[in-house]
Amino acid sequence: MTNQKKILVTGAGGFIGHHLCKHLKGRGYWIRGVDIKYPEFESTMADDFRLMDLREFSHCLESCSGMDEVYQLAADMGGIGYITSYHAAILRNNALINLHMLEAARKNNIKKYLYTSSACVYPQHLQDKPDIAPLKEEDAYPADAEPGYGWEKLFAELACQYYMEDFGMKTYSVRFHNIFGPLGTYDGGKEKSPAAVCRKIALAEQKDEIEIWGDGKQTRSYCYISDCVEGIFRLMQSDYHMPINLGQDRMITINELVDMVAKIAGKKIRKKYDLSKPQGVRGRNSDNNMLRKVLNWEPLVSLEEGLGITYKWIHEQITRNKKAVVSGKSG
Ligand code: NAD
């Protein structure tokens, strides 16, 4: 037990952080999880879970103390409605977390540090039509990132690079492309498109109409959560320290996503388009050439399989909540 590696997962109360704690626990590591909240839908698997605000440097120092490696997933983030509404708060919160975490990791002699970046770093003009070319890592520059959230991600990627160059701390930056799966937020405004579509269809009756943000022709690729945590772990075992995409490279329209979930649910659904709602970039897909080269691996779970599991879980949550309300067990 004395040689057991100790790993800090920040954002461990969040969607990917919680799944990552489970994954790393399964590999036999000792885990400390830190977040401002506990995981919403399941108890944490972390050996030590601390509620702390990582915008505070003292909390970052305490979190990193005694750890060997850090997986930094804490961030103020949400779906497109959220990140387009709070540019200043998101940029400030995330910049504070990332600068303080890097410095705290350096002071604690952390051996490896993983930073979770995003496809939102890519220039908007490369994503202005539905059938765009997949985004390669080098496309991020000259930069024209998503306002607020995306610019901060680029800045934090650079901070990781500089800490490696100047201090020799091994840093890794991974750019996620729409990660989805069970145990993720599915309502309240912070949910992403797969969860929102699953929720709307789970709540709909046969032949009901559901609201789609935009005209439904915008495109995205989606990556299932088990592939995401496997990819993160594999990257941390590699010697690759430049930003790298982690996602699927199968691009579909939102309309196709809705049809897929409706088929899984066995429901006929009509679509009502709301063009006043934010829809983000027009098209986005991941170029996985670098991922394949570096990791000799790429995400494996099909969209149909991942959505099937996710829909089932969201449907169960909604059914349980309805029953609780009917029997007076929930406000
Ligand atoms: P999430 O919102 O579920 O998890 C982030 C967690 O960070 C939350 O639990 C939140 O409470 C915590 N947090 C926020 N502010 C904090 C603070 N001041 N101190 C401590 N904890 C704080 O999001 P997620 O989907 O699990 O994302 C994890 C990481 O991956 C984030 O860096 C996010 O930007 C990045 N990312 C995710 C996706 C995706 O599709 N889910 C895509 C691109 C990038």
Side-chain angles (χ1 to χ4, degrees):
M1 276 303 200
T2 46
N3 285 329
Q4 194 181 25
K5 208 181 265 179
K6 292 192 167 176
I7 295 189
L8 169 65
V9 177
T10 58
F15 168 51
I16 303 174
H18 176 65
H19 280 278
L20 182 63
C21 286
K22 281 167 75 170
H23 183 91
L24 293 172
K25 235 4 243 175
R27 288 183 178 269
Y29 296 108
W30 187 94
I31 311 295
R32 174 179 295 154
V34 173
D35 203 302
I36 43 175
K37 66 174 178 69
Y38 289 107
E40 207 175 328
F41 305 105
E42 217 177 56
S43 298
T44 184
M45 293 281 281
D47 298 276
D48 172 24
F49 192 100
R50 301 186 185 187
L51 287 179
M52 282 194 282
D53 186 339
L54 296 171
R55 290 172 301 181
E56 301 289 333
F57 185 51
S58 59
H59 293 176
C60 296
L61 282 173
E62 189 184 327
S63 300
C64 291
S65 167
M67 297 295 106
D68 296 305
E69 297 179 4
V70 171
Y71 290 70
Q72 202 311 80
L73 284 86
D76 184 5
M77 72 98 67
I80 191 67
Y82 185 79
I83 65 168
T84 51
S85 300
Y86 306 106
H87 291 157
I90 288 174
L91 183 127
R92 179 174 189 277
N93 290 337
N94 292 345
L96 285 172
I97 294 172
N98 286 315
L99 287 179
H100 286 156
M101 277 303 299
L102 268 171
E103 181 62 5
R106 181 184 78 81
K107 285 194 170 233
N108 278 283
N109 297 315
I110 294 296
K111 294 176 191 70
K112 292 185 187 180
Y113 182 100
L114 178 120
Y115 171 59
T116 48
S117 184
S118 163
C120 289
V121 299
Y122 288 112
Q124 317 242 359
H125 66 267
L126 295 181
Q127 307 173 78
D128 59 1
K129 50 183 190 307
D131 60 338
I132 50 106
L135 294 156
K136 292 192 201 65
E137 285 76 0
E138 68 258 32
D139 290 337
Y141 295 96
D144 174 23
E146 176 79 34
Y149 177 76
W151 277 102
E152 193 283 332
K153 290 282 184 200
L154 262 191
F155 167 80
E157 282 183 359
L158 283 173
C160 288
Q161 183 190 319
Y162 299 153
Y163 265 71
M164 177 142 168
E165 287 166 3
D166 292 4
F167 304 120
M169 183 166 77
K170 284 188 182 172
T171 61
Y172 301 80
S173 290
V174 60
R175 292 177 183 160
F176 294 145
H177 289 248
N178 294 314
I179 312 302
F180 75 99
L183 310 177
T185 302
Y186 60 89
D187 64 5
K190 282 199 164 191
E191 68 279 15
K192 310 283 189 50
S193 51
V197 168
C198 287
R199 182 197 73 235
K200 287 176 187 179
I201 294 182
L203 285 167
E205 302 295 337
Q206 280 294 357
K207 297 190 183 156
D208 266 2
E209 193 172 71
I210 67 161
E211 184 191 84
I212 313 284
W213 288 14
D215 62 4
K217 292 180 185 153
Q218 63 272 36
T219 53
R220 295 289 185 278
S221 66
Y222 297 97
C223 177
Y224 189 63
I225 184 68
S226 60
D227 280 334
C228 170
V229 294
E230 177 70 27
I232 296 174
F233 180 78
R234 284 176 183 247
L235 180 65
M236 275 288 254
Q237 314 318 308
S238 81
D239 288 324
Y240 191 76
H241 301 285
M242 297 300 288
I244 187 166
N245 287 330
L246 177 50
Q248 284 267 12
D249 54 5
R250 174 180 173 195
M251 190 167 71
I252 65 161
T253 64
I254 296 294
N255 283 329
E256 287 167 336
L257 178 74
V258 172
D259 293 344
M260 228 178 243
V261 176
K263 190 173 170 199
I264 289 165
K267 293 183 185 178
K268 291 240 178 308
I269 293 295
R270 291 177 300 121
K271 306 179 188 95
K272 182 181 167 213
Y273 300 105
D274 186 344
L275 302 181
S276 70
K277 292 278 169 48
Q279 53 166 296
V281 293
R282 198 67 182 136
R284 176 177 286 161
N285 193 10
S286 174
D287 181 312
N288 281 355
N289 281 310
M290 188 57 80
L291 186 72
R292 281 190 284 267
K293 193 169 148 197
V294 170
L295 300 187
N296 199 21
W297 171 90
E298 67 185 311
L300 309 163
V301 179
S302 74
L303 187 53
E304 286 81 356
E305 188 185 345
L307 280 177
I309 301 167
T310 308
Y311 178 80
K312 184 169 179 278
W313 180 79
I314 291 178
H315 185 264
E316 277 166 12
Q317 301 306 303
I318 288 173
T319 311
R320 185 176 314 155
N321 291 345
K322 270 191 199 156
K323 277 189 191 149
V325 170
V326 169
S327 65
K329 283 187 194 146
S330 159

